[in-house]
Amino acid sequence: MTQPEQPYVDKPSKTQRKAQAHALQDLGADLARLSDHQLARIAMDDELRDAILELRRTRSHEGRRRQTQLVGKLMRRLDDPQPLREALAAIELGGAHDALALHRAEYWRDALVVDDANVERFTAEHAGIDVQQLRLLVKRARAEKAVQPTTPDGSTRHGKAWRE
């Protein structure tokens, strides 16, 4: 007598489940590295938040390992950890966006001081800007750049108009 064939059930293998569990533990460890302000902005279960805060306070190696496992266990209970991943990515990319904006501002500042054609290009790309105020700042920055006082260590120091 033969047994009836069991339909193949597509479930993750043990290796896949362990990899997912480790990924959730890593996500919890990444969340623990955030500042208090950043962590407070992320919506999560209070029990998980308390476990992450405890992980931040734990100093011994074995204690951190066990607390990380607890955080991973609590993360596995979540219906969908994707919102936590997205919130963490948004926080991490926020710094990159800020750095990019700073680099863009520095590029434009340098370009505006060099040539009046760049002033025209800037005003064309940024509608609604006060052109008269911009030209005044550029004029002041050029005057300061011509003087450029030096510091005791030999580097040049830019004035207020250059920073504005």
Side-chain angles (χ1 to χ4, degrees):
M1 195 173 244
T2 61
Q3 293 182 342
E5 288 187 29
Q6 296 269 335
Y8 177 73
V9 178
D10 189 25
K11 64 179 185 177
S13 68
K14 183 176 180 181
T15 304
Q16 290 171 328
R17 290 192 315 264
K18 285 178 76 174
Q20 290 169 352
H22 285 291
L24 289 174
Q25 282 182 2
D26 293 342
L27 177 61
D30 290 342
L31 290 171
R33 287 187 201 99
L34 297 177
S35 69
D36 290 336
H37 176 71
Q38 291 170 330
L39 191 62
R41 291 184 359 214
I42 298 176
M44 68 177 75
D45 180 50
D46 287 337
E47 187 178 9
L48 176 60
R49 185 179 309 277
D50 292 341
I52 289 172
L53 292 173
E54 184 63 32
L55 175 60
R56 289 167 67 180
R57 288 188 296 266
T58 305
R59 296 291 170 227
S60 72
H61 176 73
E62 182 62 20
R64 287 190 65 78
R65 185 191 66 79
R66 290 178 58 139
Q67 192 64 26
T68 302
Q69 287 183 337
L70 175 63
V71 168
K73 178 181 177 181
L74 295 173
M75 301 269 295
R76 287 191 301 275
R77 291 182 186 170
L78 296 175
D79 293 331
D80 184 20
Q82 192 59 32
L84 291 175
R85 285 188 184 104
E86 291 171 359
L88 180 63
I91 288 171
E92 289 174 347
L93 287 177
H97 288 298
D98 293 344
L100 181 62
L102 177 65
H103 290 303
R104 253 189 258 138
E106 288 174 345
Y107 163 78
W108 275 114
R109 178 188 59 205
D110 294 340
L112 290 170
V113 171
V114 170
D115 189 15
D116 285 332
N118 292 328
V119 174
E120 300 303 323
R121 211 175 86 220
F122 185 82
T123 56
E125 289 182 21
H126 299 88
I129 193 165
D130 185 359
V131 180
Q132 185 177 3
Q133 180 67 25
L134 177 65
R135 287 187 188 279
L136 180 65
L137 286 173
V138 168
K139 181 180 175 182
R140 287 181 186 163
R142 286 178 182 160
E144 285 181 359
K145 187 174 181 176
V147 175
Q148 279 193 350
T150 57
T151 60
D153 65 356
S155 62
T156 58
R157 183 177 181 279
H158 296 292
K160 181 179 176 183
W162 180 263
R163 291 187 301 272
E164 287 179 350

